[in-house]
């Protein structure tokens, strides 16, 4: 034993913690590579998942992750190249089936490979920022199969060919198609778009360009639209069956552009079948189709609207300016209502109740109704007709409907005050003659006018109704206070407030003595209960029921006007009276008297008087007798007065003048109101504001406004600015 | 799962386990058990008898118990690290993590661990990651810990002083550092949290020229934007905005005169109002500036400053601020840990201090005091002061809990808390005297 030896003793440090078989990585990888081969060859039954998983785990754990990963890439790539060959070799229609089968296999294999390499996927790949296994499998499939030279174009052509076949009516295997498209989508949106969608859209555009050209040459508009609609539906169906949902807007855009947008004008204007013809023939279905299709493209609805508007304006203008139509006001308005109904129906049934179309319709009506200055009068006459007799036996709802329609026309009127004027006249006649069919209908219309134009517009009309009501009460009171009057003739007085009623030239005639006594009693009674009032008799507006016995004892009750009554009563005391005598006795104005005599002596069936000489017109020298031979199968005979229902030309002028006269204070009031708040304003702005304020009642004429301004300046309401003559100032 | 019978037999490292396929289904498809029972594999081989797994049977027992009950109990004889390794093998590490600690509740927190690091000097910031990890900034280094509290490769950007750090997601961390004089270094960088490698560097452009800059406080928005306060060489101060995906600068809000943005201590993105809170506070500046920026129309929509206000005797200076969108207010704290509130709806805001008597004031003051910090988590307000974190709840912000290392366990006492952060259902508190940080967790719910 020597110290020397002891000193030489050394302990060697461990060089390696664990002795790893230098071929460890190679061996392990070979096992895994073999397993991948077996998986791709459908021969995995001999494989142990646990063993493979552990091997892959160990490789990553022992820092052979990169070897494992690159080995996977190489092995998978070589398998995909083989697969690529077998797909290329597939003949004809088997091509897609083979592609789909191999895709399924690949996915299944990829899932199993991913299971084995799960640990690598979870740890090695994120820390090295490599592509995860599943995505790697997709990318390799894309690069080696889909983008391989021999497959890429063949696949695209096959798919496009199948789509074309289906478009031309053949049945294709949609399931297979869906699977292949799904594969492209699974490979990423860029693959789907680049390798299929973009070329598909291009080919489709070409197809529909050609087809639409063909159709438009040989089809009428309705048929063309049907075909376009069918194509559009087919494409949407195609998307739901086997394309990506996001392709829908793209392919429908193509069809819309090629089949509709490019031919829009031509379709609308197509001879004998275009939009105007559809409107004329109420082709709801075709119009609806056109609406739905054109809505899809830019400016489509605008075009329809333009053509519809100009058509309505044109036909409306013809309607209101046709001199034939002016002969019958009721028919005139009825035609307007029919026209409105027609287009309302079209808009409801075909145009989806589109607000813009409703607005276009309204503005068109407003345009042409006001082309005819007599429209307000005619509308009022139409109401008059309806409220006199047209509504008999019509249910309350239907009455409302008719009134609502009238109100719609009323809304279009610019000169609402003219309508008011006529309406007042017509209403007065209806009320006084008791010709109103339904009080409810009358009131309902007043309410409608009130909601439309405000309290002011209808206050006088309502006043008329109040007068009628109070008169009834007054009459009850009168007879209650005079019980002795029960036997004599009955007097019914309607007390009308001056101003509420259309003023009539008042010419009192001489009433028969029996009546004037009664009238005096009423006057005494009325003035006794109401102090400070004045009563004047409007004999031109009254009616009377008188009993008459003719030559052979025929008894009749005659319903006549007050004037006629006065004339007939004269014959109680005379057999023969000539014109002058009658005129003197009654003091009825000549024109009224002539009309009154004419209606009693010249109308067949109502000729209670006989005239010498027999002629149509009344002469100043004519003589009159009671017609002893008068017969009628009715006991009650109504003798009308010959009246011009429609206004005569001078009357029209007069009404017009009255309207203009009434407008003056309204315009002045508006000017003052505006100037009071603005203090000063230039001419153009005044005109604009006044027009705006008054447009709910009428369209103010600028020259008239100017005249009113002048008049206000004269009366020191306004003054002109010294330096700027166009500027007005309000003088408080 | 293509498995016929419900009973499954495993031989794990020689020990036999029997369980049901329903239990194993809890593992999910993307795990060892999910794959082994997939029909792709079960159809291949005949497993009439049992599955052999060449792994540690003790750990398997714990993991099987986790799959059975959803709860995790680690016996004393198994180290956590060993268990984590085995769980990773089976692809069940996420299961373990979510069973390890309960859902965060500020009033039920328990100190789970204290970690001592090697870095010298004061800690700057600690930030909780979204899945339970954290990172700690010390000088020019950022140390990254995963949820298992394993330390990963540290992060540094040109070895420049780190000003702030933040998690974009569990994989990505952004750090902001000082600019290095004379070179284009510094600024901001994006790093991998697991490997520490630099993935991207953010640049600032002024008038189409790339400028070097010092990046300060950071914040991230849910629409993938990064905000940072920036100081450039030629007084280009303001808030820069970058896109998280492209890394490109997309906006810059220049500091208006008489205001402070580029020096900000704190940025906070407000999801509800789409605004950024920017707070520059004493002592970084002599005065405090708090403002809300709306980047869509480049406007300062709310602002408050104490400049010009008379300094009172007790000198309440704002040391930290946090916006509480649900209450439409901003909470601030002073050096005595008094909380103050400002209304976000009125622009002429003044602070409403809620003065609370503080027993700890004066006594028990550590040698090296730290300024208070604030944090908000699901309606609970946290404020740190010295070596203690207070929890406030309810509409009146009542003090409900206090987090402090107990004196008995102070073998790793680190002094005052200089920063803390809440995330991934954990609270991390960084001490200033020693390089120590604490992890507070809510324990799993009681058995009954």
């Amino acid at each position: 034993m020597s110290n020397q030896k002891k000193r030489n003793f050394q302990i060697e440090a461990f060089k390696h913690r664990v002795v790893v078989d230098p071929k460890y990585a190679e061996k392990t990888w070979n096992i895994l590579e073999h397993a991948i081969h077996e998986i791709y060859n459908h021969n995995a039954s001999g494989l142990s998942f646990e063993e493979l998983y552990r091997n892959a785990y160990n490789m990553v754990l022992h820092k052979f992750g990169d070897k494992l990963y690159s080995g996977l890439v190489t092995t998978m790539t070589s398998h995909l190249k083989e697969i690529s060959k077998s797909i290329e070799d597939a003949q004809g229609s088997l091509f897609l089936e083979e592609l789909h089968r191999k895709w399924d296999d690949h996915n299944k294999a990829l899932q199993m490979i991913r299971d084995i390499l799960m640990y690598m996927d979870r740890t090695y790949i994120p820390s090295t920022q490599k592509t995860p296994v599943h995505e790697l499998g997709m990318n390799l499939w894309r690069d080696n199969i889909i983008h391989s030279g021999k497959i890429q174009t063949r696949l695209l052509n096959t798919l496009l060919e199948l789509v074309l076949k289906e478009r031309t009516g053949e049945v294709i295997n949609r399931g297979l198609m869906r699977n292949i498209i799904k594969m492209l989508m699974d490979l990423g949106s860029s693959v789907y778009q680049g390798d299929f969608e973009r070329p598909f859209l291009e080919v489709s555009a070409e197809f529909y360009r050609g087809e639409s050209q063909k159709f438009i040459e040989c089809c009428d508009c309705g048929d063309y639209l049907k075909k376009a609609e069918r194509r559009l539906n087919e494409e949407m169906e195609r998307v739901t069956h086997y394309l990506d949902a996001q392709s829908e807007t793209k392919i429908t855009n193509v069809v819309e552009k090629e089949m509709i947008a490019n031919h829009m004008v031509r379709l609308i204007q197509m001879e004998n079948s275009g939009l105007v013809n559809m409107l004329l023939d109420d082709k709801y279905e075709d119009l609806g189709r056109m609406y739905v299709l054109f809505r899809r493209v830019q400016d489509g609805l605008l075009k329809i609207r333009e053509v519809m508007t100009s058509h309505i304006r044109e036909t409306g203008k013809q309607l209101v300016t046709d001199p034939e139509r002016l002969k019958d006001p009721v028919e005139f308005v009825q035609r307007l209502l029919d026209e409105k109904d027609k287009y309302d129906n079209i808009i409801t049934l075909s145009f989806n109740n589109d607000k813009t179309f409703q607005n276009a319709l309204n503005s068109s009506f407003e345009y042409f109704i006001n082309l005819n200055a007599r429209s307000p009068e005619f509308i009022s006459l139409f109401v008059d007709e309806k409220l006199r007799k047209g509504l008999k036996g019509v249910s309350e709802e239907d009455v409302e409907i008719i009134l609502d329609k009238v109100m719609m026309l009323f809304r279009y009127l610019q000169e609402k005050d003219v309508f008011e004027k006529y309406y007042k006249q017509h209403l007065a006649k209806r009320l006084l003659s008791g010709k109103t069919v339904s009080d409810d209908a009358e009131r309902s219309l007043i309410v409608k006018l009130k909601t439309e134009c405000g309290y002011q517009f209808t206050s006088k009309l309502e006043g008329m109704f109040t007068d009628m009501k109070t008169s009834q009460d007054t009459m009850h009171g009168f007879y209650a206070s005079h019980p002795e009057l029960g036997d004599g003739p009955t007097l019914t007085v309607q007390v009308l407030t001056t101003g509420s009623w259309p003023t009539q030239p008042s010419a009192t005639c001489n009433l028969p003595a029996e009546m004037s006594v009664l009238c005096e009693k009423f006057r005494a009674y009325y003035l006794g209960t109401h102090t400070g009032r004045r009563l004047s008799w409007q004999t031109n507006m009254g009616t009377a029921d008188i009993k008459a016995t003719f030559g052979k004892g025929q008894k009749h009750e005659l319903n006549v006007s007050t004037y006629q009554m006065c004339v007939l009563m004269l014959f109680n005391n005379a057999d023969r009276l000539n014109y002058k005598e009658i005129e003197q006795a009654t003091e009825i104005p000549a024109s009224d008297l002539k009309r009154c005599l004419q209606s009693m002596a010249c109308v067949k069936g109502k000729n209670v008087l006989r005239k010498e000489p027999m002629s149509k017109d009344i002469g100043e020298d004519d003589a009159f007798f009671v017609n002893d031979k008068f017969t009628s199968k009715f006991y009650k005979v109504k003798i009308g007065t010959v009246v011009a229902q429609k206004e005569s030309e001078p009357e029209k002028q007069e009404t017009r003048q009255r309207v203009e006269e009434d407008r003056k204070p309204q315009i002045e009031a508006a000017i003052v109101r505006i100037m009071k708040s603005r203090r000063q304003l230039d001419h153009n702005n005044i005109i604009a504001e006044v027009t705006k304020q008054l447009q709910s009642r009428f369209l103010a004429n600028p020259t008239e406004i100017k005249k009113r301004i002048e008049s206000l300046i004269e009366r020191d309401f306004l003054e002109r600015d010294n330096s700027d003559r166009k500027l007005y100032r309000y003088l408080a | 799962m293509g498995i016929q019978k419900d009973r499954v037999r495993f031989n794990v490292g020689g020990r036999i386990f029997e369980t049901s396929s329903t239990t194993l289904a809890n593992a999910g498809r993307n795990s060892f058990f999910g794959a082994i029972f997939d029909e792709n594999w079960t159809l291949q081989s005949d497993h009439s008898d049992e599955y052999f797994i060449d792994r540690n049977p003790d750990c398997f027992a714990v993991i099987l118990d986790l799959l059975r009950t959803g709860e995790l109990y680690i016996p004393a004889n198994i180290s956590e690290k060993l268990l984590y390794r085995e769980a990773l093998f089976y692809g069940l590490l996420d299961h373990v993590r979510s069973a390890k600690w309960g859902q965060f509740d500020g009033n039920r927190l328990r100190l789970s661990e204290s970690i001592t690091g090697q870095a010298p000097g004061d800690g700057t910031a600690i930030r909780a990651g979204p899945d339970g990890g954290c990172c700690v900034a010390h000088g020019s280094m950022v140390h990254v810990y995963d949820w298992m509290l394993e330390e990963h490769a540290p992060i540094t950007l040109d070895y420049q002083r780190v000003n702030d750090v933040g998690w974009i997601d569990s994989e990505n961390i952004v750090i902001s550092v000082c600019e290095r004089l004379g070179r284009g270094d510094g600024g901001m960088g994006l790093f991998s949290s697991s490997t520490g490698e630099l993935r991207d560097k953010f640049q600032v452009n002024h008038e189409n020229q790339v400028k070097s800059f010092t990046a300060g406080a950071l914040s991230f928005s849910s629409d993938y934007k990064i905000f940072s306060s920036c100081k450039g060489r030629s007084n280009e101060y303001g808030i820069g905005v970058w896109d998280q995906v492209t890394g490109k600068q997309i906006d810059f809000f220049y500091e208006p005169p008489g205001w402070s943005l580029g020096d900000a201590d704190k940025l906070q993105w407000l999801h509800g109002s789409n605004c950024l809170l920017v707070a520059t506070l004493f002592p970084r500046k002599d005065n405090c500036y708090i403002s809300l920026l709306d980047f869509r129309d480049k406007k300062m929509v709310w602002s408050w400053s104490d400049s010009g206000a008379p300094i009172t005797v007790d000198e309440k200076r704002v040391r930290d601020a946090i916006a509480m969108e649900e209450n439409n207010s901003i909470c601030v704290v002073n050096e005595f840990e008094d909380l103050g509130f400002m209304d976000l709806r009125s622009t002429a805001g003044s602070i409403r201090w809620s003065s609370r008597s503080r027993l700890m004031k004066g006594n028990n003051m550590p040698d090296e005091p730290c300024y208070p910090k604030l944090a908000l988590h699901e309606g609970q307000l946290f404020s740190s002061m010295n070596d203690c974190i207070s929890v406030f709840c309810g509409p009146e912000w009542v003090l409900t809990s206090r987090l402090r290392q107990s004196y008995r366990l102070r073998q790793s006492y680190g002094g005052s808390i200089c920063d803390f952060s809440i995330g991934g259902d954990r609270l991390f508190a960084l001490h200033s005297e020693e390089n120590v940080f604490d992890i507070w967790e809510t324990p799993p719910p009681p058995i009954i």
Side-chain angles (χ1 to χ4, degrees), chain A residues 181 193 215 218 254 462 546 550 603-604 639 706 710:
Chain A
I181 298 288
Q193 283 163 9
F215 283 167
C218 63
V254 166
E462 282 176 292
I546 50 177
F550 290 94
V603 179
K604 209 170 168 230
I639 297 171
K706 192 155 184 277
E710 300 290 348

Side-chain angles (χ1 to χ4, degrees), chain B residues 121-139:
Chain B
D122 289 351
T124 312
I126 189 161
R127 294 286 178 264
D131 62 355
C134 77
C135 56
V136 188
H138 266 281

Side-chain angles (χ1 to χ4, degrees), chain A residues 63 122-130, chain B residues 134-135 141-146 150-157 159 167 169-173 175 190-200:
Chain A
K63 309 278 178 242
R122 198 184 284 280
T123 57
Y124 171 78
I125 286 176
S127 66
T128 51
Q129 296 197 288
K130 288 199 157 49
Chain B
C134 77
C135 56
M141 295 276 264
V142 174
H143 298 271
V144 184
Y145 298 83
D146 60 28
E150 297 273 321
E151 188 170 352
H152 287 242
I155 290 170
T156 180
L157 187 59
Y159 292 100
W167 296 78
D169 51 43
S170 57
E171 258 304 300
N172 293 288
I173 294 176
I175 70 171
L190 175 75
F191 294 84
S192 155
S193 63
S194 52
T195 63
E197 65 179 324
L198 177 65
R199 288 186 171 164
D200 207 348

Side-chain angles (χ1 to χ4, degrees), chain A residues 385-527:
Chain A
E385 160 82 13
K386 290 286 165 200
L387 290 174
R388 269 174 195 276
K389 49 194 165 197
L391 294 176
K392 253 182 206 155
V394 180
S395 77
E396 221 166 287
E397 289 87 46
D398 292 344
V399 172
E400 281 296 302
I401 290 169
I402 292 175
L403 295 183
D404 278 334
K405 282 181 178 171
V406 171
M407 283 310 295
M408 209 159 47
L409 292 182
F410 168 74
R411 248 170 249 144
Y412 297 137
L413 290 178
Q414 278 166 353
E415 299 187 299
K416 294 193 171 62
D417 60 339
V418 178
F419 173 84
E420 187 200 359
K421 199 114 272 158
Y422 283 108
Y423 189 77
K424 209 155 127 189
Q425 273 176 28
H426 296 146
L427 176 64
K429 273 189 196 156
R430 277 203 301 282
L431 288 177
L432 294 177
S433 59
K435 291 281 171 49
T436 288
V437 175
S438 149
D439 225 32
D440 288 342
E442 291 279 4
R443 286 191 182 277
S444 156
L445 192 68
I446 300 279
V447 169
K448 285 183 206 304
L449 286 169
K450 195 167 168 177
T451 38
E452 195 67 30
C453 298
Y455 165 76
Q456 214 187 347
F457 194 88
T458 56
S459 64
K460 287 185 179 170
L461 301 180
E462 282 176 292
M464 289 160 77
F465 280 98
T466 323
D467 281 351
M468 295 306 287
K469 182 85 184 56
T470 3
S471 297
Q472 251 178 31
D473 297 344
T474 313
M475 286 322 292
H476 280 304
F478 174 63
Y479 278 106
S481 66
H482 292 278
E484 77 279 5
L485 290 177
D487 299 338
T490 313
L491 173 74
T492 311
V493 181
Q494 277 141 355
V495 184
L496 312 180
T497 313
T498 320
S500 292
W501 296 75
T503 41
Q504 296 275 344
S506 148
T508 316
C509 69
N510 286 338
L511 291 171
E514 305 90 307
M515 291 314 295
S516 52
V517 170
L518 209 47
C519 286
E520 277 316 308
K521 276 190 178 157
F522 178 78
R523 183 195 296 274
Y525 167 78
Y526 185 79
L527 296 179

Side-chain angles (χ1 to χ4, degrees), chain A residues 370-391:
Chain A
N370 289 302
L371 286 178
N372 186 340
R374 303 193 65 177
S375 293
E377 182 192 347
F378 285 3
I379 292 172
S380 177
L381 276 172
F382 178 81
V383 178
D384 191 51
E385 160 82 13
K386 290 286 165 200
L387 290 174
R388 269 174 195 276
K389 49 194 165 197
L391 294 176

